[in-house]
Amino acid sequence: MKHIKNIFAFIGLLAVAGTFIFAVQSTDIEEKPQQPEVVQEEVTDKSVPDTYQISAIEIPEDLNFAGEPVPLEDPEIMERVDREFLVNTYWQSNAVLIIKRANKYFPIIEPILKKNGIPDDFKYLAVAESGLLNVVSPAGATGFWQIMKDTGKEYGLEVNANVDERYHVEKSTQVACDYIKKWKERFGTWTLTAAAYNAGPAGVQKYMNIQKVDDYYNLLLGDETGRYVFRIMAIKEIISNPEKYGFKVEEEDMYSKVPTFTVEVDSAVTSWADFANLYEINYKVLKRHNPWLREPHLNNTTHKKYVIEIPNKGYYRIGNVGK
């Protein structure tokens, strides 16, 4: 009997302990704060516009250079064309810059080409040559049209340490026209003429003699000249139809020519900086408009007449004038 009482006592003790444990657990559950629901949100990269795509370029079916059609039915020609369209379209910063510069300089170049009977497409040759910058090549070709020193002198430009008219847009464009007309008479087509502009007439003639062909598209040329005409055509298409190739450049984004007037100089100038101060500009601005002036002074022992371009007042921030 004693053992039965002990069993019932043990069972009672277990019941009390279970009740205590349940009470403690219930308290923990009630006091524990509710965790907020985690919502997964889709993260998108806002740095890439929804409209931006990297894709193949559709080549215009009527592609031509100076009215001479491109044989796009030839797969090798098509690949070369495609390469230049892709390279020049997706080199976006350069394309935007040349679109902006073209707005500034094409109005100067176009009437000179027209006056000389040169197809308007040759303005894009200047872009291919220099990007419409007064650059100097490793070989010494200079200016927008990349004219060599001897060629410039042969065609009447003054080229020396004091003055280098290869940097003069109007005068160098006229020399380019004279050069182009001469080689068009020799080679017969505008495409071969453009190739001769790049590689030199002797180089093109050498390839023609060896390969016994007289058409640019049938010639096997060096890499630069082999790409040259196709690059010009790609540049032409992009500048002519920028939005078609994804470029949105508004009118207010364009570079434009600052209005100027001219002053004639027929004597030596000891200091172009002092000369600039007379017109309330500084040396930097004077050089910007007359990059063909290569030294801070002008010798002019022959009293040659030079025409200096001066910007109208108010277009530049001018400091320290006359100091």
Side-chain angles (χ1 to χ4, degrees), residues 7-23:
I7 291 171
F8 277 111
F10 180 73
I11 292 172
L13 183 61
L14 288 175
V16 172
T19 302
F20 178 78
I21 291 170
F22 177 79

Side-chain angles (χ1 to χ4, degrees), residues 59-187:
I59 307 301
E61 294 180 359
D62 61 346
L63 194 65
N64 69 87
F65 176 70
E68 298 174 2
V70 182
L72 294 175
E73 66 279 3
D74 183 322
E76 189 265 345
I77 298 297
M78 184 62 178
E79 285 189 21
R80 289 161 67 187
V81 169
D82 191 49
R83 175 184 182 181
E84 299 311 316
F85 269 76
L86 285 167
V87 168
N88 288 281
T89 299
Y90 288 116
W91 188 7
Q92 294 98 329
S93 59
N94 187 65
V96 172
L97 283 170
I98 62 174
I99 290 167
K100 290 185 172 191
R101 291 187 199 124
N103 187 72
K104 181 177 182 179
Y105 293 112
F106 277 1
I108 301 172
I109 294 170
E110 288 166 347
I112 300 173
L113 295 176
K114 184 176 181 180
K115 180 185 72 174
N116 286 274
I118 304 298
D120 191 65
D121 279 3
F122 275 86
K123 67 190 180 188
Y124 303 106
L125 182 147
V127 179
E129 286 286 333
S130 66
L132 298 178
L133 292 170
N134 274 316
V135 294
V136 180
S137 78
T142 298
F144 279 26
W145 295 93
Q146 289 291 277
I147 299 171
M148 296 295 290
K149 182 177 181 179
D150 290 343
T151 303
K153 289 183 174 182
E154 178 186 350
Y155 284 85
L157 295 181
E158 182 177 350
V159 182
N160 53 52
N162 212 214
V163 169
D164 190 340
E165 291 180 328
R166 293 177 296 171
Y167 292 93
H168 194 295
V169 177
E170 290 90 345
K171 291 187 177 183
S172 64
T173 300
Q174 181 58 55
V175 167
C177 288
D178 294 339
Y179 189 88
I180 290 165
K181 283 190 293 185
K182 179 177 180 179
W183 300 120
K184 173 59 164 61
E185 291 178 6
R186 174 172 171 177
F187 291 108

Side-chain angles (χ1 to χ4, degrees), residues 25-303:
Q25 288 177 336
S26 298
T27 302
D28 288 345
I29 292 171
E30 289 172 1
E31 292 179 356
K32 186 178 182 179
Q34 186 177 1
Q35 295 296 319
E37 182 182 358
V38 177
V39 179
Q40 294 290 335
E41 294 185 1
E42 182 181 356
V43 179
T44 58
D45 186 356
K46 297 299 183 183
S47 65
V48 180
D50 294 338
T51 56
Y52 186 76
Q53 296 180 342
I54 304 294
S55 61
I57 304 296
E58 183 179 350
I59 307 301
E61 294 180 359
D62 61 346
L63 194 65
N64 69 87
F65 176 70
E68 298 174 2
V70 182
L72 294 175
E73 66 279 3
D74 183 322
E76 189 265 345
I77 298 297
M78 184 62 178
E79 285 189 21
R80 289 161 67 187
V81 169
D82 191 49
R83 175 184 182 181
E84 299 311 316
F85 269 76
L86 285 167
V87 168
N88 288 281
T89 299
Y90 288 116
W91 188 7
Q92 294 98 329
S93 59
N94 187 65
V96 172
L97 283 170
I98 62 174
I99 290 167
K100 290 185 172 191
R101 291 187 199 124
N103 187 72
K104 181 177 182 179
Y105 293 112
F106 277 1
I108 301 172
I109 294 170
E110 288 166 347
I112 300 173
L113 295 176
K114 184 176 181 180
K115 180 185 72 174
N116 286 274
I118 304 298
D120 191 65
D121 279 3
F122 275 86
K123 67 190 180 188
Y124 303 106
L125 182 147
V127 179
E129 286 286 333
S130 66
L132 298 178
L133 292 170
N134 274 316
V135 294
V136 180
S137 78
T142 298
F144 279 26
W145 295 93
Q146 289 291 277
I147 299 171
M148 296 295 290
K149 182 177 181 179
D150 290 343
T151 303
K153 289 183 174 182
E154 178 186 350
Y155 284 85
L157 295 181
E158 182 177 350
V159 182
N160 53 52
N162 212 214
V163 169
D164 190 340
E165 291 180 328
R166 293 177 296 171
Y167 292 93
H168 194 295
V169 177
E170 290 90 345
K171 291 187 177 183
S172 64
T173 300
Q174 181 58 55
V175 167
C177 288
D178 294 339
Y179 189 88
I180 290 165
K181 283 190 293 185
K182 179 177 180 179
W183 300 120
K184 173 59 164 61
E185 291 178 6
R186 174 172 171 177
F187 291 108
T189 67
W190 294 116
T191 46
L192 279 174
T193 301
Y197 194 99
N198 178 254
V204 171
Q205 189 64 60
K206 176 184 175 182
Y207 283 118
M208 291 173 65
N209 293 341
I210 293 171
Q211 300 174 33
K212 296 180 170 43
V213 292
D214 59 0
D215 178 78
Y216 175 79
Y217 299 106
N218 287 321
L219 274 174
L220 178 62
L221 297 163
D223 186 60
E224 181 182 346
T225 309
R227 296 178 60 183
Y228 190 66
V229 175
F230 301 112
R231 184 181 177 211
I232 293 170
M233 288 185 285
I235 291 168
K236 167 189 171 182
E237 180 67 15
I238 292 166
I239 294 179
S240 301
N241 305 287
E243 292 194 3
K244 178 180 175 182
Y245 298 95
F247 298 102
K248 187 177 181 181
V249 185
E250 305 293 348
E251 187 64 32
E252 59 267 25
D253 299 323
M254 296 291 192
Y255 301 150
S256 57
K257 191 176 186 299
V258 170
T260 61
F261 61 95
T262 58
V263 175
E264 292 186 350
V265 172
D266 61 1
S267 60
V269 176
T270 55
S271 169
W272 282 119
D274 290 340
F275 179 91
N277 290 342
L278 296 174
Y279 297 95
E280 299 182 70
I281 58 175
N282 57 32
Y283 179 73
K284 182 182 78 170
V285 171
L286 181 72
K287 281 278 291 180
R288 180 177 176 84
H289 286 271
N290 303 274
W292 50 275
L293 297 172
R294 304 310 298 166
E295 294 184 306
H297 59 273
L298 180 68
N299 297 330
N300 202 10
T301 56
T302 62
H303 295 280

